[in-house]
Amino acid sequence: METKSIADFSAGDEVQSFFILRAMNIKTSSNNKKYLDMTLADKSGEINAKLWNVEHGEESLYKAGQLVKVRGTVTLWQNALQFKITKMRLVSDDDGVDVADYVPAAPYPAQDMYEEVMSYVERIENEDIKKIVTRIYDMYKEPLMTAPAAKSNHHAVRSGLLYHMLRMLRSAEVLCGVYANLNEDLVYAGVLLHDIEKINEMNADDLGIVSEYTFDGQILGHIIMGIKTIESVANELGADRETSMLLQHMVLTHHYEPEYGSPKKPMIPEAEMLHYLDMIDARMYDMNRVYDKMDSGDFSDPVFVLDRRRLYKSSLHADT
């Protein structure tokens, strides 16, 4: 049995190692036997895993967010790698492993990212905008340090939300220098606030693993929740009504299409820019995540989150 990172898995490998149990569902097979359908993860990536013929009560031993030691074989199912588990148990103190060493996370320390993000808040000159953003970030600092930006797909890692906003802010700084008609204060504030309510939309633990969407998250979603937060804080601070409405408009429209949660399209250039900043960072993240598993000269399988496109990794691509 080899000890391997998920990114190094190949069909036929027999592996024994530690992994984070990122998600788990109890299912029933065609022969009426219970099995566990799981997502296992380490810092290098994640893989679907199956534990067949689960004994009665065994399923109650496990839940998302736990560190487990597993043994099994890597197989190929419908052109995707899958891990067939033959043995699994919870990690004990005797194993001497730290769960943080196995958690997929943003590539920079959370505190460093937070400080850089807050440096953009300090650049905001409009007093009402600055007060609103500062108050909201004061409210959410602690959960923001570990919050993912999604349950799956782009930036669904520990501190992923900070990472997503930081890269958008860096891009915004450059593009505001190109397009002089943009109000930098609105663009920066839009980036800082557009996904902030994902903190309350999802139940995420300190490892950045989302167990489920909250009641408010399912009923309203982070866009409407974000609008409500901005309105509440702006009213509390006595901020200018138009300023508050513009910030709400940016959050409302950043998904652009009704089917993605935005009932209106951008009516100001800053909101238009926010949408594309968000899309650029999400697309680049998802494409690079696929590239991490590819060799130069390879074509990927169809990528669901990229409209089922196949990607090509050229020899000119710079790995990061």
Side-chain angles (χ1 to χ4, degrees), residues 287-288 291-292 294 296 312-320:
M287 294 180 92
N288 284 334
Y291 271 7
D292 286 344
M294 296 171 62
S296 294
Y312 172 69
K313 185 174 183 179
S314 77
S315 61
L316 301 180
H317 176 74
D319 286 319
T320 56

Side-chain angles (χ1 to χ4, degrees), residues 197-244:
E197 276 298 331
K198 284 190 172 182
I199 289 171
N200 292 317
E201 182 183 38
M202 302 176 287
N203 277 327
D205 60 23
D206 289 342
L207 302 177
I209 296 173
V210 178
S211 57
E212 61 184 358
Y213 283 84
T214 63
F215 176 78
D216 289 3
Q218 295 185 72
I219 293 293
L220 299 177
H222 72 276
I223 290 178
I224 300 303
M225 294 165 71
I227 291 169
K228 291 178 66 179
T229 297
I230 293 169
E231 182 179 43
S232 175
V233 170
N235 289 340
E236 175 191 337
L237 296 173
D240 175 70
R241 183 175 184 275
E242 183 188 25
T243 300
S244 171

Side-chain angles (χ1 to χ4, degrees), residues 66-81:
Q66 292 176 323
L67 186 61
V68 292
K69 186 175 184 180
V70 298
R71 178 186 297 174
T73 304
V74 181
T75 62
L76 195 63
W77 171 253
Q78 296 183 341
N79 294 320
L81 293 179

Side-chain angles (χ1 to χ4, degrees), residues 127-261:
E127 286 300 319
D128 282 338
I129 294 176
K130 190 171 187 175
K131 286 178 182 178
I132 291 169
V133 174
T134 299
R135 176 63 62 87
I136 292 172
Y137 269 66
D138 285 345
M139 291 162 50
Y140 292 157
K141 178 180 179 180
E142 184 176 350
L144 182 60
M145 300 301 282
T146 57
K151 185 176 182 180
S152 57
N153 301 329
H154 80 86
H155 302 86
V157 296
R158 192 173 192 262
S159 306
L161 184 55
L162 266 176
Y163 184 47
H164 177 44
M165 290 192 289
L166 175 58
R167 299 207 307 180
M168 286 179 65
L169 287 166
R170 290 173 175 175
S171 298
E173 182 178 3
V174 174
L175 289 172
C176 283
V178 175
Y179 301 102
N181 62 310
L182 295 170
N183 181 294
E184 288 188 15
D185 289 350
L186 280 176
V187 175
Y188 289 161
V191 171
L192 289 158
L193 298 176
H194 80 288
D195 275 350
I196 195 67
E197 276 298 331
K198 284 190 172 182
I199 289 171
N200 292 317
E201 182 183 38
M202 302 176 287
N203 277 327
D205 60 23
D206 289 342
L207 302 177
I209 296 173
V210 178
S211 57
E212 61 184 358
Y213 283 84
T214 63
F215 176 78
D216 289 3
Q218 295 185 72
I219 293 293
L220 299 177
H222 72 276
I223 290 178
I224 300 303
M225 294 165 71
I227 291 169
K228 291 178 66 179
T229 297
I230 293 169
E231 182 179 43
S232 175
V233 170
N235 289 340
E236 175 191 337
L237 296 173
D240 175 70
R241 183 175 184 275
E242 183 188 25
T243 300
S244 171
M245 293 294 287
L246 290 175
L247 292 177
Q248 292 177 59
H249 176 75
M250 294 185 72
V251 173
L252 180 71
T253 61
H254 81 270
H255 278 186
Y256 215 76
E257 302 289 353
E259 57 265 36
Y260 299 130

Side-chain angles (χ1 to χ4, degrees), residues 11-41:
D13 288 345
E14 294 187 349
V15 177
Q16 178 173 280
S17 194
F18 300 100
F19 301 100
I20 287 287
L21 179 54
R22 189 171 180 87
M24 184 187 80
N25 289 299
I26 304 167
K27 296 185 177 181
T28 304
S29 65
S30 57
N31 63 359
N32 208 33
K33 295 280 189 177
K34 283 185 181 180
Y35 70 95
L36 301 185
D37 182 18
M38 298 170 284
T39 300
L40 298 180

